[in-house]
Amino acid sequence: MASDNDDVDERLIESFRPRLRKYIVVERVLDFLPSIDKDLKERIRKKATNEGNSAGVDQLLTVVQKKRSPGWFREFVDALENAGFNYAANIMQLKLPDPEVEADNDSYVRLIELLCPSLVDMKTEEVCMHCASKDLITENEKEIIDAATKNLGRMSGASELLRCIVRGEPGWFSTFLEILRTTGHHVLLNELTGGPFDSDKKGSGEKLPPVKDEHAGSEAATERNPAVSECSTTITDSPQDEATDLYQGESAESRKLPSLQDGTYSVAATEGPEKAHIVLRDYQMEVARPALEGENIIICLPTGSGKTRVAVYITKEHLDHRKAEGRSGKVVVLVNKIPLVEQHFSEEFLPFLKDTYKVERVSGDSQLKISFTDIVEKNDVIICTAQILENYLERADTGEDEGVNLSDLTLIVIDECHHTQKGGVYNHIMMRFLKQKQKNKRLKKEEKEPMPLPQILGLTASPGVGGATVMKKAVDHILRICANLDASKIMTGTLGEFTKGQRKTTIPFEDRKEDPFGDVIKKIMSAIHAHAGQSPSAELGSQNYEQWVVQKERTAAKEEDQDVRVCAEHLRQYSEGLNLCSTIRMRDSLGFLSQYHTEEMKRKQSTDDEHSIKITDTELFLFNIFKDNKKELEMLAEKPEYENDSLSKLRTTILQEFSSRDEARGIIFTKTRRSAIALSQWIQENPKCADIGVKAAYVIGGGDQSLVKPMTFAEQKDVLNKFRNGDINLLVATSVAEEGLDIPKCNVVIRYGLVTNEISMIQSQGRGRAEDSSYTVVGVKNSGVTEKEQVNEYRKNMMDKAIDKIRDLVPADYDKRITEFQLQAVMEEKVRTKKKKQKDIRNEKPSEVKFSCRGCSKPVCNGQDIQIIEDMHRVNVTSEFSELFIQRENTTLQERLLDYETNLYIACKDCGQRWGSMMLYRGIDCPSLHVKHFVVTFRGEKISKCTRWNELPVKFPAFDYAEHAERVAKSSDDEETQ
């Protein structure tokens, strides 16, 4: 009975607020509360949509409490009854069940929540019909369940059915068990009762079996303590997910959580309805099932379909399961790019696991200075770059230092697992796994204890076909990846209504009618050819031409023909200038060539008056020919009518896409860092782009292989955050943004003169996650993008068919093929290891190798003068060597001062050729040599191509720090006494 005392009624609502959160759905109650005005209802609905049903219920209760108009409490109770929430209405009227009955009801609710992933595998339509006839659900609820089943699948409907029945009045559980028995769901009955269900006991007064923990048959009690709560699988009252972005629900702070009405599965991160939940859709749960049962699998889903979310779900279930069994769990998540470490940590694993498990991340950029071994020991989930784990597995093998063993881990998640191939760090890790697997088989035969191995979970959007042209090769390629990951299955799923359609357009390249700027560059190149006495057969600026130039430079360096060598260096830059002219603006090409010549002339300037750097006649010719033509190039660069056709087509595409959408957001992929920066600047300076609200910025890689200054992770993150917030709506990016990085949803993807393989194509297409997204390929001269894109489409179709063929294999045939590939991989690894050991044994004496300056052929040193620091840096600290070089400012290092580098590089005193950099190692300046800047003579024979130190079969001695430190100290003392 409703109370006439407003204060009493208000306190009643407040006292039962926690229960009301669980037993009512705010959206359905609002329809029966006419006294609440429309705007206020809309605010409550918005609260429920953005923050969850519980938050909406809280706001509704607060509004109802403040209303206090005549009959307000009765109206609220009537609304609960009319909406079908009779149990909640009874609570408001103090029609409460006995405490024992209420406690049992709570236990049954908890049991349904825990066993939700198993219970959804039911004949939903049939069970729903029986539940309606038994009044476990209302007609309105039945319509909602039927709609979910029809539109999203029977599992989605089952999820909604379970959410409805647990809100019923006590006694629903026995009725539900009887319905399961009637409909033949005996497996589900056993799940709920722990054994065969006897319907005769239902009315005898004898209690149903007590609720166990989430694993049927477990001995753990069902008390509501943190341990049980942390392991729970919970049905949540999340809002309807109106958006179709499959990355919704990424964190409690920033994104909405999809609801079980959308056909999802949810694992609570912490107890209580206000906490973040892991939410899976039907297709995600389907691909996860074998991993939840402990199998090694590969999950192959399109980019943007939530593979990482599935991995988080599997991780939590894995750890929960081991905890319930009284065993510890240890999960390592491996990524192949440093930015992905922070991304997976902060946006996926930490938000959902932090209140239950210890999560940490480690990468080369990590500020954590403690041992990785300690991090593994003290945390449950570790996210790291694959190389770090490989380094510590190697340490454990050698026994030289503390390390990590595979047996320390219980689950390894491998992101972008298609990289698990020969030569890759993923494959090095998995090769250890496969070797131990073979060894374990022998140990079992000998009745010895095998070493435990972790479960493996691979994630990929595209395993590719490995360049295959026939189906058999494609199948073999994917099977090898499965074998390398020891995968029992490769799981794919049908996204159904969540599949995003995408318009695809290819715009072919059309050559310029007039290209006077390019003609001037070609005229310069022809003059250089004549000066050097060379006649290329390839088209200037083409890839074949660049290969010809590189080979000429190497041959000339080997033959000490400095005139041809320096001409080849300049020709390579002009070839790049032609490519830039065909890709971006003429002024950008001119800027690149001007900067190169400025740096070259600066290199020839003396740093003091004691000596002068020699400038040859050929170098003077090269400097002067650019100087003589520079004014004409500058004049032509300012004439827009001569710009390349590809750039105008890119501009048209951008204007069309951004002007035809209410809210456009896009990415342009381009080949080089230089073109990404230039295109971004070009868009920013274009008034038409500004008029339609295009705000561009670039994202490039963090490695320092290029002459262009790399982008730090912090800079990348800042740009991506601005893109996410809408401060930027167009990214211009290199391939760094293709794979893995969480680029927010966008509806415009453009590949500008960049086409590689089918994996790259699939990854870049996947960046377009929004509805009505477009994918456009714009051709650029000498890129061949139109033909390559057609090949990639063919390979993508071949890949899909190959995966289907593999999934159709009889299990015995699949296992046989996998075993064969694994045995082959192990044998090949043994051969490689044997050859490497033989190569190490044949290490030549350092005295067998000599180094001369690549720029002037001057003898510099021999191998006896070189020592190695930390197995990486080859240094020459002899006094004789110090007399041969000068030090110059290294502007590329000024903003990224590494622990071991100063912002100085060393160069030849005679010609200015760069030799390496100056290291600061434990307080001592050490000239570090880069082998690519020298001509190497080995056993009297010159080597024209040597770009890495490990290409030399020479083992240099370790740097003797103590000896050199004493020498430096003595020299310093001698100077002070003078």
Side-chain angles (χ1 to χ4, degrees):
M1 182 179 69
S3 172
D4 294 329
N5 189 318
D6 288 345
D7 290 335
V8 172
D9 292 338
E10 185 177 343
R11 287 197 297 272
L12 181 64
I13 290 176
E14 196 60 38
S15 299
F16 288 100
R17 183 180 286 255
R19 282 196 171 275
L20 294 174
R21 284 198 199 104
K22 293 195 299 182
Y23 288 113
I24 68 177
V25 177
V26 68
E27 177 68 32
R28 285 159 56 186
V29 175
L30 281 174
D31 293 337
F32 298 100
L33 291 171
S35 64
I36 299 178
D37 64 61
K38 186 177 179 180
D39 290 341
L40 195 51
K41 285 183 179 179
E42 194 56 41
R43 285 200 293 272
I44 295 170
R45 286 190 176 97
K46 190 173 182 180
K47 182 82 169 177
T49 299
N50 293 335
E51 301 179 30
N53 181 70
S54 296
V57 172
D58 269 335
Q59 185 164 343
L60 170 64
L61 297 179
T62 300
V63 170
V64 168
Q65 287 173 304
K66 290 180 179 178
K67 197 70 181 169
R68 289 185 177 250
S69 56
W72 66 274
F73 186 73
R74 183 68 254 174
E75 181 189 55
F76 177 58
V77 174
D78 289 344
L80 294 177
E81 290 176 344
N82 290 330
F85 303 123
N86 293 325
Y87 189 32
N90 288 340
I91 290 173
M92 286 292 91
Q93 298 173 89
L94 295 178
K95 298 177 182 178
L96 302 175
D98 294 336
E100 186 178 355
V101 173
E102 189 172 21
D104 285 344
N105 188 70
D106 287 343
S107 296
Y108 301 143
V109 171
R110 182 66 171 161
L111 181 61
I112 296 293
E113 291 173 346
L114 293 171
L115 296 178
C116 178
S118 301
L119 297 176
V120 293
D121 192 13
M122 66 171 71
K123 303 171 187 174
T124 308
E125 298 91 340
E126 190 176 354
V127 175
C128 179
M129 182 183 66
H130 281 77
C131 287
S133 67
K134 296 288 185 180
D135 293 328
L136 287 189
I137 57 175
T138 65
E139 281 301 316
N140 184 39
E141 288 172 334
K142 183 178 183 297
E143 290 177 6
I144 294 173
I145 295 164
D146 288 342
T149 304
K150 180 179 179 181
N151 298 326
L152 302 173
R154 59 182 179 81
M155 290 185 177
S156 300
S159 297
E160 181 60 38
L161 172 64
L162 295 174
R163 296 180 68 230
C164 292
I165 64 172
V166 296
R167 298 193 193 102
E169 297 182 60
W172 60 266
F173 186 69
S174 295
T175 306
F176 182 58
L177 291 181
E178 180 61 29
I179 290 171
L180 291 179
R181 186 192 65 77
T182 302
T183 54
H185 290 82
H186 302 296
V187 174
L188 301 186
L189 271 176
N190 292 340
E191 287 273 355
L192 287 170
T193 62
F197 172 59
D198 186 354
S199 61
D200 293 336
K201 294 182 180 180
K202 185 179 69 167
S204 64
E206 183 176 341
K207 286 189 179 181
L208 288 162
V211 181
K212 303 293 184 185
D213 79 341
E214 71 271 34
H215 299 284
S218 168
E219 297 301 320
T222 59
E223 299 175 24
R224 277 190 172 269
N225 55 43
V228 173
S229 172
E230 289 167 358
C231 297
S232 68
T233 304
T234 308
I235 301 174
T236 61
D237 291 330
S238 303
Q240 178 79 17
D241 181 15
E242 296 174 356
T244 55
D245 178 15
L246 302 187
Y247 271 71
Q248 291 281 18
E250 224 169 42
S251 69
E253 295 80 14
S254 61
R255 308 202 181 182
K256 293 192 299 182
L257 293 175
S259 77
L260 289 175
Q261 293 176 357
D262 277 345
T264 58
Y265 301 86
S266 170
V267 175
T270 57
E271 186 173 2
E274 300 303 313
K275 303 298 182 180
H277 291 72
I278 306 172
V279 181
L280 297 188
R281 300 188 187 278
D282 279 353
Y283 70 86
Q284 292 172 323
M285 177 59 77
E286 193 64 34
V287 298
R289 286 192 190 282
L292 296 174
E293 295 168 4
E295 293 186 49
N296 297 344
I297 65 167
I298 295 173
I299 291 178
C300 182
L301 289 175
T303 302
S305 58
K307 293 184 296 296
T308 309
R309 182 60 46 78
V310 177
V312 178
Y313 186 97
I314 292 169
T315 295
K316 187 172 191 306
E317 286 289 282
H318 172 85
L319 294 171
D320 288 350
H321 181 73
R322 293 185 69 87
K323 180 189 285 187
E325 294 179 344
R327 298 184 295 162
S328 63
K330 192 74 63 178
V331 181
V332 170
V333 182
L334 301 180
V335 299
N336 63 331
K337 294 180 181 177
I338 289 175
L340 294 180
V341 174
E342 183 64 32
Q343 175 182 301
H344 285 350
F345 172 78
S346 61
E347 299 183 23
E348 289 289 346
F349 286 87
L350 185 66
F352 297 111
L353 302 180
K354 63 184 177 182
D355 294 304
T356 312
Y357 298 104
K358 293 179 180 178
V359 185
E360 191 52 271
R361 80 289 205 190
V362 187
S363 72
D365 279 1
S366 176
Q367 299 300 311
L368 295 171
K369 299 300 181 183
I370 62 175
S371 164
F372 180 71
T373 306
D374 289 340
I375 293 172
V376 171
E377 184 178 341
K378 295 175 181 177
N379 292 278
D380 303 299
V381 181
I382 304 93
I383 304 162
C384 66
T385 46
Q387 190 60 56
I388 289 178
L389 178 61
E390 168 63 12
N391 291 345
Y392 277 79
L393 290 171
E394 180 68 26
R395 288 189 184 190
D397 285 349
T398 60
E400 296 176 2
D401 203 346
E402 60 177 358
V404 174
N405 293 298
L406 284 176
S407 58
D408 298 329
L409 313 176
T410 59
L411 170 64
I412 298 179
V413 180
I414 301 181
D415 192 33
E416 309 297 350
C417 69
H418 51 269
H419 292 298
T420 314
Q421 300 186 56
K422 289 180 182 179
V425 65
Y426 283 164
N427 211 49
H428 293 163
I429 293 169
M430 286 308 302
M431 195 51 61
R432 298 174 189 277
F433 180 101
L434 296 180
K435 287 179 179 178
Q436 187 60 50
K437 179 184 176 183
Q438 298 293 331
K439 187 176 180 180
N440 282 351
K441 289 181 179 179
R442 293 196 300 271
L443 290 173
K444 287 180 181 178
K445 288 181 180 179
E446 297 168 3
E447 297 184 351
K448 296 180 180 177
E449 187 68 24
M451 186 183 90
L453 286 171
Q455 181 183 351
I456 304 296
L457 172 64
L459 309 175
T460 185
S462 47
V465 297
T469 56
V470 295
M471 182 60 67
K472 182 181 182 303
K473 296 286 186 182
V475 170
D476 285 351
H477 169 79
I478 298 172
L479 279 174
R480 280 194 180 91
I481 295 176
C482 293
N484 290 342
L485 289 159
D486 195 43
S488 63
K489 294 181 179 69
I490 179 167
M491 300 297 297
T492 60
T494 302
L495 273 59
E497 68 163 326
F498 303 117
T499 303
K500 292 183 172 60
Q502 194 174 57
R503 290 182 287 108
K504 183 171 181 178
T505 307
T506 300
I507 302 175
F509 158 77
E510 292 181 16
D511 208 350
R512 292 169 167 148
K513 294 179 181 178
E514 292 183 273
D515 183 16
F517 184 90
D519 291 341
V520 173
I521 293 179
K522 290 177 181 178
K523 181 182 70 174
I524 296 173
M525 295 172 75
S526 296
I528 297 174
H529 292 150
H531 182 89
Q534 303 295 321
S535 299
S537 56
E539 180 186 356
L540 302 187
S542 67
Q543 188 173 352
N544 288 338
Y545 176 81
E546 186 165 337
Q547 291 171 351
W548 175 82
V549 168
V550 169
Q551 188 56 48
K552 285 296 177 183
E553 190 279 332
R554 289 173 180 166
T555 303
K558 179 179 177 180
E559 296 174 353
E560 298 185 8
D561 187 343
Q562 294 303 331
D563 288 340
V564 172
R565 188 198 66 78
V566 73
C567 284
E569 283 281 6
H570 280 249
L571 286 170
R572 189 175 182 183
Q573 306 308 314
Y574 283 114
S575 181
E576 176 66 11
L578 277 179
N579 284 324
L580 291 174
C581 175
S582 300
T583 307
I584 48 182
R585 296 173 295 184
M586 294 178 289
R587 58 192 278 193
D588 298 314
S589 174
L590 177 60
F592 161 72
L593 293 172
S594 297
Q595 182 183 9
Y596 171 74
H597 282 86
T598 300
E599 291 296 325
E600 284 297 293
M601 287 187 285
K602 188 186 297 182
R603 191 165 62 85
K604 291 296 180 178
Q605 294 173 1
S606 301
T607 56
D608 53 53
D609 298 329
E610 295 182 6
H611 71 277
S612 61
I613 296 176
K614 183 181 178 181
I615 301 179
T616 66
D617 291 341
T618 294
E619 287 170 333
L620 280 174
F621 163 77
L622 292 169
F623 290 147
N624 287 333
I625 196 171
F626 179 74
K627 183 179 178 181
D628 294 342
N629 289 276
K630 187 175 180 181
K631 285 188 178 179
E632 185 178 4
L633 290 171
E634 288 173 340
M635 179 191 69
L636 293 170
E638 296 304 320
K639 295 190 175 183
E641 63 267 28
Y642 297 135
E643 287 291 6
N644 67 74
D645 176 70
S646 298
L647 202 59
S648 63
K649 288 181 176 177
L650 175 63
R651 177 171 52 240
T652 301
T653 301
I654 294 171
L655 294 175
Q656 286 177 346
E657 294 289 353
F658 276 75
S659 61
S660 62
R661 302 173 187 271
D662 293 333
E663 187 177 347
R665 189 170 295 189
I667 304 176
I668 299 173
F669 290 103
T670 186
K671 188 174 182 180
T672 66
R673 296 178 181 182
R674 186 172 283 109
S675 61
I677 296 170
L679 285 172
S680 174
Q681 184 179 0
W682 167 69
I683 295 168
Q684 291 168 3
E685 294 173 358
N686 192 301
K688 290 185 178 179
C689 290
D691 289 343
I692 60 173
V694 178
K695 296 167 286 188
Y698 65 86
V699 176
I700 60 176
D704 59 356
Q705 309 94 324
S706 170
L707 295 175
V708 179
K709 178 183 174 292
M711 204 171 194
T712 65
F713 171 63
E715 290 170 333
Q716 289 177 344
K717 188 175 181 181
D718 180 59
V719 172
L720 292 178
N721 283 337
K722 288 179 179 177
F723 188 61
R724 182 175 287 110
N725 298 333
D727 298 332
I728 294 167
N729 56 16
L730 180 60
L731 288 180
V732 187
T734 55
S735 58
V736 68
E738 282 181 349
E739 187 173 293
L741 282 183
D742 178 25
I743 307 295
K745 65 177 181 179
C746 63
N747 45 25
V748 179
V749 177
I750 302 171
R751 286 180 73 87
Y752 182 64
L754 173 65
V755 175
T756 50
N757 58 26
E758 71 280 4
I759 294 176
S760 179
M761 182 189 74
I762 293 167
Q763 294 286 355
S764 58
Q765 280 182 325
R767 299 302 117 194
R769 297 177 181 172
E771 288 297 320
D772 189 32
S773 65
S774 65
Y775 175 79
T776 305
V777 177
V778 179
V780 170
K781 186 175 182 180
N782 294 324
S783 67
V785 297
T786 305
E787 297 80 5
K788 291 178 182 176
E789 192 72 7
Q790 291 174 350
V791 171
N792 287 339
E793 283 290 347
Y794 172 76
R795 286 176 174 171
K796 178 182 179 297
N797 293 332
M798 181 186 287
M799 180 190 78
D800 293 337
K801 292 177 181 177
I803 292 174
D804 290 340
K805 282 183 174 293
I806 291 170
R807 287 176 57 79
D808 289 340
L809 284 174
V810 176
D813 292 341
Y814 176 87
D815 293 342
K816 181 181 178 183
R817 299 284 304 276
I818 291 298
T819 301
E820 288 173 353
F821 280 126
Q822 288 181 344
L823 290 172
Q824 180 183 342
V826 171
M827 291 303 297
E828 289 175 350
E829 176 66 14
K830 287 181 178 178
V831 171
R832 281 193 296 270
T833 303
K834 185 177 180 180
K835 286 183 177 179
K836 185 177 183 302
K837 287 180 178 178
Q838 291 173 345
K839 183 179 177 182
D840 291 341
I841 293 172
R842 294 199 309 268
N843 272 335
E844 305 294 342
K845 296 178 181 179
S847 59
E848 295 286 346
V849 62
K850 293 179 174 57
F851 303 90
S852 57
C853 177
R854 199 173 189 88
C856 62
S857 305
K858 176 181 69 177
V860 175
C861 63
N862 64 39
Q864 289 177 310
D865 302 322
I866 295 177
Q867 296 176 326
I868 188 168
I869 294 177
E870 296 178 353
D871 294 326
M872 289 177 60
H873 312 287
R874 276 75 175 178
V875 299
N876 188 337
V877 294
T878 61
S879 56
E880 294 82 6
F881 181 70
S882 64
E883 298 295 325
L884 301 178
F885 66 82
I886 55 177
Q887 298 185 41
R888 291 187 180 276
E889 184 179 51
N890 187 354
T891 54
T892 62
L893 288 178
Q894 283 182 337
E895 297 184 33
R896 63 178 191 96
L897 288 175
L898 302 179
D899 292 342
Y900 54 83
E901 287 184 317
T902 64
N903 61 331
L904 296 172
Y905 71 84
I906 60 174
C908 177
K909 263 187 179 180
D910 293 345
C911 69
Q913 168 70 46
R914 185 167 177 168
W915 285 352
S917 57
M918 184 62 73
M919 285 181 59
L920 183 63
Y921 178 66
R922 293 162 64 179
I924 297 177
D925 286 331
C926 299
S928 176
L929 280 60
H930 299 175
V931 70
K932 64 182 179 181
H933 298 310
F934 298 92
V935 174
V936 180
T937 302
F938 180 64
R939 288 184 170 180
E941 182 180 344
K942 290 183 179 176
I943 303 174
S944 62
K945 180 187 176 183
C946 190
T947 58
R948 292 188 180 92
W949 282 106
N950 59 15
E951 293 173 6
L952 288 174
V954 177
K955 189 171 184 178
F956 299 104
F959 177 64
D960 192 330
Y961 177 81
E963 178 187 343
H964 191 64
E966 288 180 6
R967 192 187 314 158
V968 172
K970 184 177 183 301
S971 175
S972 178
D973 292 342
D974 291 344
E975 289 178 5
E976 291 177 2
T977 57
Q978 290 178 358

